[in-house]
Coordinates of all heavy atoms in Angstrom, one line a residue:
M7 N -69.6 27.6 74.5 CA -69.9 27.1 73.2 C -71.3 27.7 72.8 O -72.2 27.7 73.6 CB -70.1 25.5 73.3 CG -70.5 24.9 72.0 SD -70.9 23.2 72.1 CE -69.3 22.5 72.4
D8 N -71.3 28.2 71.6 CA -72.5 28.7 71.0 C -73.3 27.6 70.3 O -72.9 27.2 69.2 CB -72.2 29.8 70.0 CG -73.4 30.4 69.4 OD1 -74.5 29.9 69.5 OD2 -73.2 31.5 68.7
I9 N -74.2 27.0 71.0 CA -74.9 25.8 70.5 C -75.6 26.1 69.2 O -75.6 25.3 68.3 CB -75.9 25.3 71.5 CG1 -75.2 24.8 72.8 CG2 -76.8 24.1 71.0 CD1 -76.1 24.4 73.9
Q10 N -76.2 27.3 69.0 CA -76.9 27.6 67.8 C -75.9 27.6 66.6 O -76.2 27.1 65.5 CB -77.5 29.0 67.9 CG -78.1 29.6 66.6 CD -79.5 28.9 66.4 OE1 -80.1 28.4 67.3 NE2 -79.9 29.0 65.1
A11 N -74.7 28.1 66.8 CA -73.6 28.1 65.8 C -73.2 26.7 65.5 O -73.0 26.3 64.3 CB -72.5 29.0 66.2
V12 N -73.0 25.9 66.5 CA -72.7 24.5 66.3 C -73.7 23.7 65.5 O -73.5 22.9 64.6 CB -72.4 23.8 67.7 CG1 -72.2 22.3 67.5 CG2 -71.2 24.4 68.3
Q13 N -75.0 24.0 65.9 CA -76.1 23.4 65.2 C -76.1 23.7 63.7 O -76.2 22.8 62.9 CB -77.4 23.9 65.8 CG -78.7 23.4 65.3 CD -79.9 23.9 66.1 OE1 -79.9 23.9 67.3 NE2 -80.9 24.3 65.4
K14 N -75.8 24.9 63.3 CA -75.7 25.3 61.9 C -74.5 24.7 61.2 O -74.6 24.2 60.1 CB -75.7 26.8 61.8 CG -77.0 27.4 62.2 CD -77.1 28.9 61.9 CE -78.4 29.5 62.2 NZ -79.6 28.8 61.7
K15 N -73.4 24.6 62.0 CA -72.2 24.0 61.4 C -72.4 22.5 61.2 O -72.0 21.9 60.1 CB -71.0 24.2 62.4 CG -69.7 23.7 61.9 CD -68.6 24.1 62.9 CE -67.2 23.6 62.3 NZ -66.1 24.0 63.2
I16 N -73.1 21.8 62.1 CA -73.4 20.4 61.9 C -74.3 20.2 60.7 O -74.0 19.3 59.9 CB -74.0 19.8 63.2 CG1 -73.0 19.7 64.3 CG2 -74.7 18.5 62.9 CD1 -73.6 19.4 65.7
F17 N -75.3 21.0 60.5 CA -76.2 20.9 59.4 C -75.4 21.1 58.1 O -75.6 20.4 57.1 CB -77.4 21.8 59.5 CG -78.4 21.5 58.5 CD1 -79.3 20.5 58.6 CD2 -78.6 22.4 57.4 CE1 -80.2 20.2 57.6 CE2 -79.5 22.1 56.4 CZ -80.4 21.0 56.5
Q18 N -74.5 22.1 58.1 CA -73.7 22.4 56.9 C -72.8 21.3 56.5 O -72.7 20.9 55.3 CB -72.9 23.7 57.0 CG -72.2 24.1 55.8 CD -73.2 24.4 54.6 OE1 -74.1 25.2 54.8 NE2 -72.9 23.8 53.5
N19 N -72.3 20.6 57.5 CA -71.5 19.4 57.3 C -72.3 18.3 56.6 O -71.8 17.6 55.7 CB -70.8 18.9 58.5 CG -69.8 17.8 58.3 OD1 -68.8 18.0 57.6 ND2 -70.1 16.6 58.8
K20 N -73.5 18.1 57.1 CA -74.4 17.1 56.5 C -74.6 17.4 55.0 O -74.6 16.5 54.2 CB -75.8 17.1 57.2 CG -75.7 16.5 58.6 CD -77.0 16.7 59.4 CE -78.1 15.8 59.0 NZ -77.8 14.4 59.1
I21 N -74.8 18.7 54.7 CA -75.0 19.1 53.3 C -73.7 18.8 52.5 O -73.8 18.2 51.4 CB -75.4 20.6 53.2 CG1 -76.8 20.9 53.8 CG2 -75.3 21.1 51.8 CD1 -77.1 22.3 53.9
N22 N -72.6 19.2 53.1 CA -71.3 19.1 52.4 C -71.0 17.6 52.1 O -70.4 17.3 51.1 CB -70.2 19.7 53.2 CG -70.3 21.2 53.3 OD1 -71.1 21.9 52.6 ND2 -69.6 21.8 54.2
K23 N -71.3 16.7 53.0 CA -71.0 15.3 52.9 C -72.1 14.5 52.2 O -71.9 13.3 52.1 CB -70.7 14.7 54.3 CG -69.6 15.5 55.1 CD -68.2 15.2 54.4 CE -67.2 15.9 55.3 NZ -65.8 15.7 54.9
G24 N -73.2 15.1 51.9 CA -74.3 14.4 51.3 C -75.1 13.5 52.2 O -75.7 12.5 51.7
F25 N -75.2 13.8 53.5 CA -76.0 13.1 54.4 C -77.4 13.6 54.3 O -77.8 14.6 53.8 CB -75.4 13.2 55.8 CG -74.2 12.5 56.1 CD1 -73.0 13.2 56.4 CD2 -74.1 11.1 56.0 CE1 -71.8 12.6 56.6 CE2 -72.9 10.5 56.2 CZ -71.7 11.2 56.5
N26 N -78.3 12.8 55.0 CA -79.7 13.2 55.0 C -80.0 14.6 55.6 O -79.5 14.9 56.7 CB -80.5 12.1 55.9 CG -81.9 12.4 56.1 OD1 -82.6 12.7 55.1 ND2 -82.4 12.4 57.3
T27 N -80.7 15.4 54.9 CA -81.1 16.7 55.4 C -82.5 17.0 55.3 O -83.0 18.1 55.6 CB -80.3 17.8 54.6 OG1 -80.6 17.7 53.2 CG2 -78.8 17.7 54.8
D28 N -83.4 16.1 54.8 CA -84.8 16.4 54.6 C -85.7 15.3 55.1 O -86.9 15.6 55.3 CB -85.1 16.7 53.2 CG -84.7 15.5 52.2 OD1 -84.2 14.5 52.7 OD2 -85.0 15.7 51.0
N29 N -85.3 14.1 55.4 CA -86.2 13.1 55.9 C -86.1 13.0 57.4 O -85.2 12.4 58.0 CB -85.8 11.7 55.3 CG -86.8 10.6 55.6 OD1 -87.4 10.6 56.7 ND2 -86.9 9.7 54.7
V30 N -87.0 13.7 58.1 CA -87.0 13.8 59.5 C -87.2 12.5 60.2 O -86.6 12.2 61.2 CB -88.1 14.8 60.0 CG1 -88.2 14.9 61.5 CG2 -87.7 16.2 59.4
E31 N -88.1 11.7 59.6 CA -88.4 10.4 60.2 C -87.1 9.5 60.2 O -86.8 8.9 61.2 CB -89.5 9.6 59.5 CG -90.8 10.2 59.6 CD -91.1 11.4 58.6 OE1 -90.2 11.8 57.8 OE2 -92.2 12.0 58.7
K32 N -86.4 9.5 59.1 CA -85.1 8.8 59.0 C -84.1 9.3 60.1 O -83.4 8.5 60.7 CB -84.5 8.9 57.6 CG -83.3 8.1 57.4 CD -82.6 8.3 56.0 CE -83.4 7.6 55.0 NZ -82.7 7.7 53.7
E33 N -84.1 10.6 60.2 CA -83.1 11.2 61.2 C -83.4 10.8 62.6 O -82.5 10.6 63.4 CB -83.1 12.7 61.0 CG -81.8 13.4 61.5 CD -80.6 13.0 60.6 OE1 -80.7 12.4 59.5 OE2 -79.5 13.3 61.0
F34 N -84.7 10.7 63.0 CA -85.1 10.2 64.3 C -84.6 8.8 64.5 O -84.1 8.4 65.6 CB -86.6 10.3 64.5 CG -87.1 11.6 65.1 CD1 -87.7 12.5 64.4 CD2 -86.8 11.8 66.5 CE1 -88.2 13.7 64.9 CE2 -87.3 13.0 67.0 CZ -87.9 14.0 66.3
C35 N -84.7 8.0 63.4 CA -84.2 6.6 63.5 C -82.7 6.6 63.7 O -82.2 5.8 64.5 CB -84.6 5.8 62.3 SG -86.4 5.5 62.2
F36 N -82.0 7.4 63.0 CA -80.5 7.5 63.1 C -80.2 7.9 64.6 O -79.2 7.4 65.2 CB -79.9 8.5 62.1 CG -79.9 8.0 60.7 CD1 -80.0 8.9 59.7 CD2 -79.9 6.6 60.4 CE1 -80.0 8.5 58.3 CE2 -79.9 6.2 59.1 CZ -79.9 7.2 58.0
L37 N -80.9 8.9 65.1 CA -80.7 9.4 66.5 C -80.9 8.2 67.5 O -80.1 8.0 68.4 CB -81.6 10.6 66.8 CG -81.5 11.1 68.2 CD1 -80.1 11.6 68.6 CD2 -82.5 12.2 68.4
Y38 N -81.9 7.5 67.3 CA -82.2 6.3 68.1 C -81.1 5.3 68.1 O -80.6 4.8 69.1 CB -83.5 5.7 67.7 CG -83.9 4.5 68.5 CD1 -84.5 4.6 69.8 CD2 -83.7 3.2 68.1 CE1 -84.9 3.5 70.5 CE2 -84.0 2.1 68.8 CZ -84.6 2.3 70.0 OH -84.9 1.2 70.8
G39 N -80.5 5.1 66.9 CA -79.4 4.2 66.7 C -78.2 4.7 67.5 O -77.5 3.9 68.1
E40 N -78.0 6.0 67.4 CA -76.8 6.5 68.1 C -77.0 6.4 69.7 O -76.0 6.1 70.4 CB -76.6 8.0 67.7 CG -76.2 8.2 66.3 CD -74.8 7.5 65.9 OE1 -74.0 7.3 66.8 OE2 -74.7 7.1 64.8
V41 N -78.2 6.6 70.1 CA -78.4 6.4 71.6 C -78.2 5.0 72.0 O -77.6 4.7 73.0 CB -79.9 6.9 71.9 CG1 -80.2 6.5 73.4 CG2 -80.1 8.4 71.7
S42 N -78.6 4.1 71.1 CA -78.4 2.6 71.4 C -76.9 2.3 71.4 O -76.4 1.6 72.3 CB -79.1 1.8 70.3 OG -78.8 0.5 70.5
E43 N -76.1 2.9 70.5 CA -74.7 2.7 70.5 C -74.0 3.2 71.8 O -73.1 2.6 72.3 CB -74.0 3.3 69.3 CG -74.3 2.6 68.0 CD -73.7 3.2 66.8 OE1 -72.9 4.1 66.9 OE2 -74.1 2.9 65.6
A44 N -74.5 4.4 72.2 CA -74.0 5.0 73.4 C -74.3 4.1 74.6 O -73.4 3.9 75.5 CB -74.5 6.4 73.6
F45 N -75.5 3.6 74.7 CA -75.9 2.7 75.8 C -75.0 1.5 75.8 O -74.6 1.0 76.8 CB -77.4 2.4 75.8 CG -77.7 1.4 76.8 CD1 -77.7 1.7 78.2 CD2 -78.0 0.1 76.5 CE1 -78.0 0.8 79.1 CE2 -78.3 -0.9 77.4 CZ -78.4 -0.5 78.8
D46 N -74.8 0.9 74.6 CA -74.0 -0.3 74.5 C -72.6 0.0 75.0 O -72.0 -0.8 75.7 CB -74.0 -0.8 73.0 CG -73.3 -2.1 72.9 OD1 -73.8 -3.1 73.5 OD2 -72.4 -2.2 72.1
A47 N -72.0 1.1 74.6 CA -70.7 1.5 75.1 C -70.6 1.6 76.6 O -69.7 1.2 77.2 CB -70.2 2.8 74.4
F48 N -71.7 2.2 77.2 CA -71.8 2.3 78.6 C -71.8 0.9 79.3 O -71.1 0.6 80.2 CB -73.0 3.2 79.0 CG -73.2 3.2 80.5 CD1 -72.5 3.9 81.4 CD2 -74.3 2.4 81.0 CE1 -72.7 3.9 82.7 CE2 -74.5 2.4 82.3 CZ -73.8 3.1 83.2
R49 N -72.8 0.2 78.7 CA -73.0 -1.2 79.3 C -71.8 -2.1 79.3 O -71.5 -2.8 80.2 CB -74.2 -1.8 78.6 CG -74.7 -3.1 79.2 CD -75.9 -3.6 78.4 NE -75.8 -3.7 77.0 CZ -75.3 -4.8 76.4 NH1 -75.0 -5.9 77.0 NH2 -75.2 -4.9 75.1
K50 N -71.0 -2.0 78.2 CA -69.8 -2.8 78.0 C -68.6 -2.1 78.5 O -67.5 -2.6 78.3 CB -69.7 -3.2 76.5 CG -70.8 -4.1 76.0 CD -70.7 -4.4 74.6 CE -71.8 -5.4 74.2 NZ -71.7 -5.6 72.7
K51 N -68.7 -0.9 79.1 CA -67.6 -0.2 79.6 C -66.5 0.1 78.6 O -65.3 0.0 78.8 CB -67.0 -0.9 80.9 CG -68.0 -1.0 82.0 CD -67.4 -1.7 83.2 CE -68.3 -1.8 84.4 NZ -69.7 -1.6 84.4
K52 N -67.0 0.4 77.4 CA -66.0 0.7 76.3 C -65.4 2.1 76.5 O -66.0 3.0 77.1 CB -66.8 0.7 75.0 CG -67.2 -0.7 74.5 CD -67.9 -0.6 73.2 CE -68.2 -2.0 72.6 NZ -68.8 -1.9 71.3
E53 N -64.3 2.3 76.0 CA -63.6 3.6 76.1 C -64.1 4.7 75.2 O -63.8 5.8 75.4 CB -62.1 3.4 75.8 CG -61.4 2.6 76.8 CD -59.9 2.5 76.6 OE1 -59.3 3.3 75.8 OE2 -59.2 1.6 77.2
D54 N -65.0 4.3 74.2 CA -65.5 5.3 73.3 C -66.8 5.8 73.7 O -67.5 6.4 72.9 CB -65.5 4.7 71.9 CG -66.5 3.6 71.7 OD1 -66.9 3.0 72.7 OD2 -66.9 3.3 70.6
L55 N -67.2 5.7 75.0 CA -68.5 6.2 75.4 C -68.6 7.7 75.1 O -69.7 8.2 74.6 CB -68.7 6.0 76.9 CG -70.0 6.6 77.5 CD1 -71.2 6.1 76.8 CD2 -70.0 6.2 79.0
G56 N -67.6 8.5 75.4 CA -67.6 9.9 75.1 C -67.9 10.2 73.7 O -68.7 11.1 73.3
E57 N -67.3 9.5 72.8 CA -67.5 9.7 71.3 C -68.9 9.3 70.9 O -69.5 10.0 70.1 CB -66.5 8.8 70.6 CG -66.6 9.0 69.1 CD -65.5 8.2 68.3 OE1 -64.4 7.9 68.9 OE2 -65.7 8.0 67.1
E58 N -69.4 8.3 71.5 CA -70.8 7.9 71.2 C -71.8 8.9 71.7 O -72.8 9.2 71.0 CB -71.1 6.5 71.8 CG -70.3 5.4 71.2 CD -70.5 5.2 69.7 OE1 -71.5 5.6 69.2 OE2 -69.7 4.5 69.1
L59 N -71.5 9.5 72.9 CA -72.4 10.6 73.4 C -72.3 11.8 72.5 O -73.3 12.5 72.3 CB -72.1 10.9 74.8 CG -72.4 9.8 75.9 CD1 -71.9 10.2 77.3 CD2 -74.0 9.7 76.0
A60 N -71.1 12.1 72.0 CA -71.0 13.2 71.1 C -71.8 12.9 69.8 O -72.4 13.9 69.3 CB -69.5 13.4 70.7
D61 N -71.8 11.7 69.3 CA -72.6 11.4 68.1 C -74.1 11.6 68.4 O -74.8 12.2 67.5 CB -72.4 9.9 67.7 CG -71.1 9.6 67.0 OD1 -70.5 10.5 66.5 OD2 -70.8 8.4 67.0
V62 N -74.6 11.3 69.6 CA -76.0 11.5 70.0 C -76.2 13.0 69.9 O -77.2 13.5 69.3 CB -76.3 11.0 71.4 CG1 -77.6 11.5 71.9 CG2 -76.2 9.5 71.4
A63 N -75.3 13.8 70.5 CA -75.5 15.3 70.5 C -75.5 15.8 69.0 O -76.3 16.7 68.7 CB -74.4 16.0 71.3
I64 N -74.6 15.3 68.2 CA -74.5 15.8 66.8 C -75.7 15.5 66.1 O -76.3 16.4 65.3 CB -73.2 15.2 66.2 CG1 -72.0 15.9 66.8 CG2 -73.3 15.3 64.7 CD1 -70.7 15.2 66.4
F65 N -76.2 14.3 66.2 CA -77.5 13.9 65.5 C -78.7 14.8 66.0 O -79.5 15.2 65.2 CB -77.8 12.4 65.6 CG -77.2 11.7 64.5 CD1 -75.9 11.2 64.6 CD2 -77.9 11.4 63.3 CE1 -75.3 10.5 63.5 CE2 -77.3 10.7 62.3 CZ -76.0 10.2 62.4
L66 N -78.7 15.0 67.3 CA -79.8 15.8 67.9 C -79.7 17.3 67.4 O -80.8 17.8 67.0 CB -79.7 15.8 69.4 CG -80.8 16.5 70.1 CD1 -82.2 16.0 69.8 CD2 -80.6 16.5 71.6
L67 N -78.6 17.8 67.3 CA -78.4 19.2 66.8 C -78.7 19.3 65.3 O -79.4 20.2 64.9 CB -77.0 19.7 67.1 CG -76.7 20.0 68.6 CD1 -75.2 20.1 68.9 CD2 -77.4 21.3 69.0
G68 N -78.3 18.3 64.6 CA -78.6 18.3 63.2 C -80.1 18.2 62.9 O -80.7 18.9 62.1
L69 N -80.8 17.3 63.7 CA -82.2 17.1 63.6 C -82.9 18.4 64.0 O -83.9 18.9 63.3 CB -82.7 16.0 64.5 CG -84.2 15.7 64.6 CD1 -84.7 15.4 63.2 CD2 -84.4 14.6 65.5
S70 N -82.4 19.1 65.0 CA -83.0 20.4 65.4 C -83.0 21.4 64.3 O -83.9 22.1 64.1 CB -82.3 20.9 66.7 OG -82.5 20.0 67.7
E71 N -81.8 21.5 63.6 CA -81.7 22.4 62.5 C -82.6 22.0 61.3 O -83.2 22.9 60.7 CB -80.2 22.4 62.0 CG -80.0 23.5 61.0 CD -80.0 24.9 61.5 OE1 -80.0 25.1 62.7 OE2 -80.1 25.8 60.6
M72 N -82.8 20.7 61.1 CA -83.7 20.2 60.0 C -85.1 20.7 60.3 O -85.8 21.1 59.3 CB -83.7 18.7 60.0 CG -82.4 18.1 59.3 SD -82.4 16.3 59.4 CE -83.7 15.9 58.3
V73 N -85.6 20.7 61.5 CA -87.0 21.1 61.8 C -87.1 22.5 62.3 O -88.2 23.0 62.6 CB -87.6 20.1 62.9 CG1 -87.7 18.7 62.3 CG2 -86.9 20.2 64.2
G74 N -86.0 23.3 62.2 CA -86.1 24.7 62.5 C -86.2 25.1 64.0 O -86.9 26.1 64.3
I75 N -85.7 24.3 64.8 CA -85.7 24.5 66.3 C -84.4 25.0 66.7 O -83.3 24.4 66.5 CB -86.1 23.2 67.0 CG1 -87.4 22.6 66.6 CG2 -86.0 23.4 68.5 CD1 -88.6 23.4 67.1
N76 N -84.4 26.1 67.4 CA -83.2 26.7 68.1 C -83.0 25.9 69.4 O -83.6 26.2 70.4 CB -83.3 28.2 68.3 CG -82.1 28.7 69.0 OD1 -81.4 28.1 69.7 ND2 -81.9 30.0 68.9
L77 N -82.2 24.8 69.4 CA -82.1 23.9 70.5 C -81.5 24.6 71.7 O -81.9 24.4 72.9 CB -81.3 22.7 70.2 CG -81.4 21.5 71.2 CD1 -82.9 21.1 71.4 CD2 -80.6 20.4 70.7
E78 N -80.6 25.6 71.5 CA -80.0 26.3 72.6 C -81.1 27.1 73.4 O -81.2 27.0 74.6 CB -79.0 27.3 72.1 CG -78.3 28.1 73.2 CD -77.2 29.0 72.7 OE1 -77.1 29.3 71.5 OE2 -76.3 29.3 73.5
S79 N -82.0 27.7 72.7 CA -83.1 28.5 73.3 C -84.0 27.5 74.0 O -84.5 27.8 75.1 CB -83.8 29.3 72.2 OG -84.9 29.9 72.8
E80 N -84.3 26.4 73.4 CA -85.3 25.5 74.0 C -84.7 24.8 75.2 O -85.4 24.6 76.2 CB -85.6 24.4 73.0 CG -86.4 24.9 71.8 CD -87.8 25.5 72.2 OE1 -88.4 25.0 73.1 OE2 -88.2 26.5 71.6
I81 N -83.4 24.6 75.2 CA -82.7 24.0 76.4 C -82.8 25.0 77.6 O -83.1 24.6 78.7 CB -81.3 23.6 76.1 CG1 -81.3 22.3 75.2 CG2 -80.5 23.3 77.4 CD1 -79.9 22.0 74.7
E82 N -82.5 26.3 77.3 CA -82.5 27.3 78.3 C -83.9 27.4 78.9 O -84.0 27.5 80.1 CB -82.0 28.6 77.7 CG -80.6 28.7 77.4 CD -80.1 29.9 76.6 OE1 -81.0 30.6 76.1 OE2 -78.9 30.1 76.5
K83 N -84.9 27.4 78.1 CA -86.3 27.5 78.6 C -86.7 26.3 79.4 O -87.3 26.4 80.5 CB -87.3 27.7 77.4 CG -87.2 29.0 76.7 CD -88.4 29.3 75.7 CE -88.2 28.5 74.5 NZ -89.1 28.8 73.4
K84 N -86.3 25.2 79.0 CA -86.6 23.9 79.7 C -85.9 23.8 81.0 O -86.5 23.3 82.0 CB -86.3 22.7 78.8 CG -86.7 21.4 79.4 CD -88.2 21.3 79.5 CE -88.6 19.9 80.0 NZ -90.0 19.7 80.0
M85 N -84.7 24.3 81.1 CA -83.9 24.3 82.3 C -84.6 25.2 83.4 O -84.8 24.8 84.5 CB -82.5 24.7 82.1 CG -81.7 23.7 81.4 SD -80.0 24.3 81.0 CE -79.3 24.6 82.6
V86 N -85.1 26.3 83.0 CA -85.8 27.2 83.9 C -87.1 26.5 84.3 O -87.4 26.5 85.5 CB -86.2 28.6 83.2 CG1 -87.2 29.4 84.0 CG2 -84.9 29.4 82.9
K87 N -87.8 25.9 83.4 CA -89.1 25.2 83.8 C -88.8 24.1 84.8 O -89.5 23.9 85.7 CB -89.7 24.6 82.5 CG -91.0 24.0 82.7 CD -91.6 23.6 81.3 CE -93.0 23.2 81.4 NZ -93.6 22.9 80.1
N88 N -87.7 23.3 84.5 CA -87.4 22.2 85.4 C -87.0 22.7 86.8 O -87.3 22.0 87.8 CB -86.2 21.3 84.8 CG -86.7 20.5 83.7 OD1 -87.9 20.3 83.4 ND2 -85.7 20.0 82.9
E89 N -86.3 23.8 86.9 CA -85.9 24.4 88.1 C -87.1 24.8 89.0 O -87.0 24.7 90.2 CB -85.0 25.6 87.9 CG -83.6 25.2 87.4 CD -82.8 26.4 87.0 OE1 -83.2 27.5 87.1 OE2 -81.6 26.2 86.5
T90 N -88.2 25.1 88.4 CA -89.3 25.6 89.2 C -90.3 24.5 89.5 O -91.3 24.7 90.2 CB -90.1 26.7 88.4 OG1 -90.5 26.2 87.2 CG2 -89.1 27.9 88.3
R91 N -90.1 23.3 88.9 CA -91.1 22.2 89.1 C -90.9 21.6 90.5 O -89.8 21.6 91.1 CB -90.8 21.1 88.1 CG -91.4 21.3 86.7 CD -91.4 20.1 85.9 NE -92.2 20.3 84.7 CZ -91.9 19.7 83.6 NH1 -90.9 18.9 83.5 NH2 -92.6 20.0 82.5
I92 N -92.0 21.1 91.0 CA -92.0 20.4 92.3 C -92.3 19.0 92.0 O -93.2 18.6 91.2 CB -93.1 21.0 93.2 CG1 -92.8 22.5 93.4 CG2 -93.2 20.3 94.5 CD1 -93.9 23.3 94.1
Y93 N -91.5 18.1 92.7 CA -91.7 16.7 92.5 C -92.0 16.0 93.8 O -91.6 16.5 94.9 CB -90.4 16.1 92.0 CG -90.0 16.5 90.6 CD1 -89.2 17.7 90.4 CD2 -90.5 15.8 89.5 CE1 -88.9 18.1 89.1 CE2 -90.2 16.3 88.2 CZ -89.4 17.4 88.0 OH -89.1 17.8 86.8
K94 N -92.7 14.9 93.8 CA -93.0 14.1 94.9 C -92.4 12.7 94.7 O -92.6 12.1 93.6 CB -94.5 14.0 95.2 CG -94.9 13.2 96.3 CD -96.4 13.1 96.5 CE -96.7 12.3 97.7 NZ -98.2 12.1 97.8
N95 N -91.6 12.2 95.7 CA -91.1 10.9 95.5 C -92.1 9.8 95.9 O -92.6 9.8 97.0 CB -89.8 10.7 96.4 CG -89.0 9.5 96.1 OD1 -89.5 8.4 96.3 ND2 -87.9 9.6 95.5
V96 N -92.5 9.0 94.9 CA -93.4 7.9 95.2 C -92.7 6.6 94.9 O -92.4 6.3 93.7 CB -94.7 8.1 94.3 CG1 -95.7 6.9 94.5 CG2 -95.3 9.4 94.6
D97 N -92.5 5.8 95.9 CA -91.9 4.5 95.7 C -90.5 4.6 94.9 O -90.2 3.8 94.1 CB -92.8 3.5 95.0 CG -94.1 3.2 95.8 OD1 -94.0 3.2 97.0 OD2 -95.1 3.1 95.2
G98 N -89.8 5.6 95.3 CA -88.4 5.8 94.7 C -88.4 6.4 93.3 O -87.4 6.5 92.7
V99 N -89.6 6.9 92.9 CA -89.7 7.6 91.6 C -90.2 9.0 91.8 O -91.2 9.2 92.5 CB -90.6 6.9 90.6 CG1 -90.8 7.6 89.3 CG2 -90.2 5.4 90.4
N100 N -89.5 10.0 91.2 CA -89.9 11.4 91.3 C -91.0 11.7 90.3 O -90.8 11.5 89.1 CB -88.7 12.4 91.1 CG -87.8 12.5 92.3 OD1 -88.2 12.2 93.4 ND2 -86.6 12.9 92.0
L101 N -92.1 12.1 90.8 CA -93.3 12.4 89.9 C -93.6 13.9 90.0 O -93.5 14.5 91.1 CB -94.5 11.6 90.3 CG -94.4 10.1 90.3 CD1 -95.6 9.4 90.9 CD2 -94.1 9.6 88.9
K102 N -93.9 14.5 88.9 CA -94.3 15.9 88.9 C -95.6 16.1 89.7 O -96.5 15.3 89.6 CB -94.6 16.5 87.5 CG -93.3 16.6 86.7 CD -93.6 17.3 85.4 CE -94.3 16.3 84.4 NZ -94.5 16.9 83.1
V103 N -95.6 17.2 90.5 CA -96.8 17.5 91.3 C -97.6 18.5 90.6 O -97.2 19.4 90.0 CB -96.4 18.0 92.7 CG1 -97.7 18.4 93.5 CG2 -95.6 17.0 93.4

């Protein structure tokens, strides 16, 4: 999957359907709401958990396009950074060293 292409397609759909494309604060609130719905689906063992997680990804990709972030590139860089990090387990919690 070409995440950059999907990101642009999601944003174009927002334009086509008349959804928010310029209020970043509002979009963060919508993203938070989608995360909440996904957690609720998980907690209640609903069958639509996958769909709710997809909504989270869609809102995140749309938000990334709104603010001009190539999320695919950022994810790749962050994965490399995470792979090289060293953690110490303190009372059952992994903390960066």
Side-chain angles (χ1 to χ4, degrees):
M7 176 187 294
D8 180 352
I9 296 174
Q10 177 75 20
V12 172
Q13 182 174 315
K14 291 187 178 308
K15 186 175 182 178
I16 287 167
F17 190 76
Q18 187 59 53
N19 186 62
K20 290 171 75 58
I21 292 169
N22 294 346
K23 303 290 182 176
F25 290 115
N26 176 49
T27 58
D28 58 358
N29 186 328
V30 173
E31 292 84 0
K32 183 186 281 188
E33 204 68 11
F34 269 107
C35 291
F36 290 152
L37 175 60
Y38 181 80
E40 294 300 332
V41 171
S42 177
E43 288 178 14
F45 175 69
D46 189 59
F48 170 77
R49 188 173 54 89
K50 295 179 179 177
K51 298 179 180 11
K52 292 182 173 180
E53 291 184 17
D54 66 341
L55 175 57
E57 184 176 336
E58 296 299 343
L59 289 172
D61 284 342
V62 171
I64 288 168
F65 270 85
L66 181 60
L67 288 164
L69 177 58
S70 297
E71 188 67 16
M72 286 173 70
V73 296
I75 300 289
N76 177 337
L77 195 57
E78 180 174 22
S79 174
E80 293 300 322
I81 289 170
E82 289 169 348
K83 289 189 286 188
K84 185 64 176 185
M85 288 173 63
V86 169
K87 188 175 187 177
N88 286 346
E89 289 170 359
T90 61
R91 279 194 172 147
I92 299 171
Y93 295 90
K94 178 180 180 184
N95 190 293
V96 178
D97 298 324
V99 177
N100 284 338
L101 302 175
K102 290 186 285 185
V103 176

